[in-house]
Amino acid sequence: MRLQGKIALLTGAGSGIGRKTAELFAKEGATVIVNDIDEAKGKETAQSIQASGGNALFLHADVTDAASVRLMVESAIQAYGRIDILFNNAGISGVGAIHEIEPEAWDRVVRVNLRGVFLPSRYVLPYMMERKSGNIINMSSCIAEIGLARRASYSATKGAVLSLTKSMQVDYAKYNIRVNAILPGTILTPFVEQYLQSAYEDPEAAIAAIRTRQLSGNLGRPEDVANGVLFLASDESSFMMGSPLYIDGGVVFGKDA
Ligand code: NAP
């Protein structure tokens, strides 16, 4: 019960890493506010938590839309009076080198992956500041640290999220608010399955190539990342501030040849 009594808001928690993290947070005693743009998937996460005896509430919002995010935060505050933990997880992939990317596609990736971290933080922070207590975890990626082929828009946003995390930490340390980033390697989720299908002629060969890229020899699982997010969300990481936590099967710091 490492999050006993905590109120946690997780964006994009209808699928993949967000869903696993929501389930783990609930098991550890948190009341979980599940956000997603996809109502059916978000409700499914909340219902699976409730079915296992946990506390969960689904709140629909598009994290790129200020009015929608503001309403979500106000509804959460109305329901529980505070938000202790914010996991800015919602994100989308972006494939292509610069010359291959349509401007609208670039803007969409930036909106979801960067504005989608700014807006929930923008509306949750005043409540955390008032209570002089809070914990924010931003979803970056190990791609923030390495060059990877044809991921220009995605890597630009995830690098920005890492920089933003450090900047936020400095601004809000005086309010006893911690802000850290999580940097996963390739984790097998619907998100990765989808970009493998859309970006490669031979998705099987692509998976094989990704396996060799990781020292672990395999892709990560959503629960591998959820465990790291739990650590950042709990008091066990209380001396971590503005830091990246890598959960990447050795992609960033390892080289086999
Ligand atoms: P996922 O399975 O696709 O889950 C992401 C969820 O966010 C989806 O349910 C998605 O809904 C939702 N979402 C998208 N746009 C949204 C919006 N505007 N407002 C609210 N929710 C929105 O992906 P995942 O693999 O778990 O990824 C979660 C996060 O981890 C992302 O930020 C991703 O960049 C990051 N990450 C993933 C990996 C990986 O290998 N999987 C590695 C590093 C970092 P829709 O399905 O309807 O779009």
Side-chain angles (χ1 to χ4, degrees):
M1 287 294 174
R2 291 148 78 187
L3 301 181
Q4 186 66 50
K6 301 283 188 193
I7 311 294
L9 168 60
L10 299 87
T11 67
S15 174
I17 295 166
R19 174 175 288 190
K20 271 286 170 237
T21 308
E23 290 170 353
L24 184 60
F25 276 19
K27 257 191 225 148
E28 294 290 338
T31 293
V32 174
I33 302 156
V34 174
N35 156 263
D36 207 282
I37 195 168
D38 184 320
E39 191 150 348
K41 290 195 298 182
K43 282 186 172 162
E44 221 174 88
T45 302
Q47 279 159 6
S48 100
I49 290 170
Q50 287 158 355
S52 318
N55 294 320
L57 170 73
F58 170 69
L59 288 179
H60 178 265
D62 174 348
V63 293
T64 70
D65 181 77
S68 156
V69 172
R70 191 175 186 164
L71 186 64
M72 168 181 74
V73 172
E74 283 169 2
S75 304
I77 295 293
Q78 218 163 36
Y80 302 113
R82 64 182 203 278
I83 294 168
D84 299 305
I85 300 160
L86 168 64
F87 180 27
N88 283 312
N89 166 71
I92 57 172
S93 74
V95 177
I98 288 284
H99 71 280
E100 299 169 319
I101 304 172
E102 292 303 330
E104 297 70 29
W106 173 276
D107 288 348
R108 177 85 192 129
V109 174
V110 172
R111 277 180 77 82
V112 178
N113 293 0
L114 191 51
R115 185 177 164 90
V117 171
F118 162 66
L119 283 176
S121 306
R122 165 70 184 82
Y123 292 111
V124 167
L125 271 162
Y127 294 104
M128 290 182 166
M129 290 161 71
E130 199 180 311
R131 299 187 70 246
K132 287 213 163 12
S133 172
N135 189 330
I136 299 180
I137 300 122
N138 291 332
M139 179 54 88
S140 177
S141 162
C142 72
I143 206 168
E145 302 281 18
I146 55 174
L148 211 53
R150 303 185 62 241
R151 296 289 185 281
S153 58
Y154 186 69
S155 67
T157 60
K158 294 303 183 179
V161 168
L162 183 54
S163 293
L164 175 65
T165 301
K166 296 170 190 173
S167 178
M168 286 170 72
Q169 181 61 91
V170 174
D171 289 340
Y172 299 107
K174 55 180 168 293
Y175 296 98
N176 190 32
I177 296 168
R178 291 194 296 124
V179 189
N180 290 292
I182 191 116
L183 282 72
T186 309
I187 311 297
L188 195 56
T189 66
F191 165 101
V192 165
E193 283 166 16
Q194 197 198 328
Y195 90 63
L196 284 170
Q197 295 299 335
S198 62
Y200 296 93
E201 276 175 20
D202 183 351
E204 281 310 311
I207 284 240
I210 291 171
R211 284 204 177 97
T212 59
R213 188 166 81 201
Q214 321 220 148
L215 289 182
S216 60
N218 212 341
L219 278 67
R221 302 161 306 156
E223 46 270 45
D224 294 325
V225 182
N227 285 324
V229 183
L230 171 62
F231 171 65
L232 290 177
S234 77
D235 292 340
E236 290 158 29
S237 62
S238 59
F239 203 49
M240 282 186 75
M241 298 180 81
S243 294
L245 179 61
Y246 303 89
I247 304 202
D248 68 348
V251 166
V252 171
F253 296 111
K255 268 250 180 273
D256 200 16

